[in-house]
Amino acid sequence: MEFFEVLNKRRTTREFLDKPVDFEVIKKILQAGNKAPTWDHNRNWEYIILRTDEEKEYTFEYAKSVADKFDAEKYLNFPRPYPITLGQKMYGYAMPRQFTMLKQAPYVIIPLFKSKELNGASVSKLNPFATIWCVIENIFLAATAEGLSCSMRIPLEKEAEIVKKKLKVPPSFMIPVFIGVGYANPKEQKLEQYKPDIDKQIRFGRWK
């Protein structure tokens, strides 16, 4: 698949087909993740792979509780002083699927990066966090190139620590995201997305 075709095809999936995925393809996708730039030149990344329903149910108990509590009907129809935004529509669609979009996926990838805590005192202090997201983007694009799709859940509040404890992750590593990988359900609802105008985003020399 040509590179820009991959970019245009990549999207977040929240409904997967019940169709197996060859693990060799998952390894190929992770190898693509390892090609990302790294700030310390050591590529201190690890990956936990979940395969069974039992593993996913155990790991994502917190995500399930969040999804079960979310009232999409109430959220989407809440009176607002302005028309509902595309982002709010997407949020209302995505939140009830925060658990199922991981459980349905044949594989869940949990990337780990070496850092005990995030230090936002300056942008450069966030280098470990920035580079793991380069890894994650490579994973998304490689999955798309292989005809697969990904779901993405960023852990909320204490969730990452809960999952770390469950999976016995060393304290020197952090979890940025949970990624479901599988074949997208072609019948999944596709919500409208905001499309920025690149000509309005570019500024030459300075902001104004």
Side-chain angles (χ1 to χ4, degrees):
M1 197 181 297
E2 194 268 335
F3 179 70
F4 284 96
E5 184 183 359
V6 171
L7 285 179
N8 289 325
K9 284 197 170 197
R10 191 221 63 80
R11 70 179 186 85
T12 302
T13 292
R14 296 179 180 88
E15 291 184 15
F16 292 96
L17 296 176
D18 184 13
K19 181 179 177 181
V21 174
D22 185 346
F23 187 66
E24 289 302 312
V25 177
I26 298 297
K27 288 170 64 176
K28 186 176 179 182
I29 289 167
L30 295 179
Q31 289 284 14
N34 282 342
K35 297 293 184 182
T38 174
W39 72 279
D40 62 358
H41 307 290
N42 289 324
R43 291 184 159 78
N44 284 321
W45 308 314
E46 304 287 340
Y47 306 98
I48 293 176
I49 307 294
L50 306 181
R51 297 164 293 181
T52 69
D53 284 350
E54 292 75 17
E55 288 173 338
K56 289 175 259 186
E57 287 168 4
Y58 173 72
T59 302
F60 301 123
E61 186 178 7
Y62 185 94
K64 186 177 188 303
S65 70
V66 170
D68 288 346
K69 290 176 186 175
F70 187 79
D71 188 336
E73 191 71 23
K74 180 179 179 181
Y75 175 81
L76 291 170
N77 295 293
F78 184 82
R80 294 175 173 85
Y82 53 84
I84 189 168
T85 66
L86 297 182
Q88 288 168 337
K89 287 181 182 179
M90 182 62 76
Y91 186 81
Y93 173 77
M95 283 305 293
R97 294 166 173 80
Q98 292 299 293
F99 172 68
T100 56
M101 70 182 188
L102 296 172
K103 185 179 176 183
Q104 283 181 359
Y107 292 98
V108 174
I109 298 170
I110 304 178
L112 306 164
F113 66 103
K114 197 163 189 179
S115 182
K116 290 184 178 180
E117 61 181 3
L118 293 181
N119 184 346
S122 66
V123 173
S124 65
K125 296 288 186 182
L126 294 172
N127 279 338
F129 187 65
T131 54
I132 192 63
W133 277 98
C134 294
V135 173
I136 293 162
E137 181 65 9
N138 276 13
I139 288 171
F140 290 159
L141 295 178
T144 304
E146 291 295 324
L148 299 169
S149 194
C150 298
S151 61
M152 173 178 67
R153 174 171 173 78
I154 298 173
L156 294 173
E157 300 172 349
K158 59 185 179 181
E159 183 177 5
E161 290 303 315
I162 291 172
V163 172
K164 279 179 62 175
K165 185 175 180 180
K166 281 175 175 276
L167 303 185
K168 304 186 185 305
V169 175
S172 57
F173 283 85
M174 297 186 74
I175 298 173
V177 71
F178 310 121
I179 305 170
V181 184
Y183 291 98
N185 183 349
K187 296 181 180 179
E188 181 184 6
Q189 181 182 359
K190 293 180 175 62
L191 277 67
E192 183 183 358
Q193 302 255 350
Y194 176 68
K195 297 176 182 175
D197 183 343
I198 190 63
D199 289 323
K200 293 180 179 178
Q201 293 177 288
I202 296 172
R203 292 169 171 81
F204 293 101
R206 59 181 181 178
W207 189 271
K208 291 184 180 180

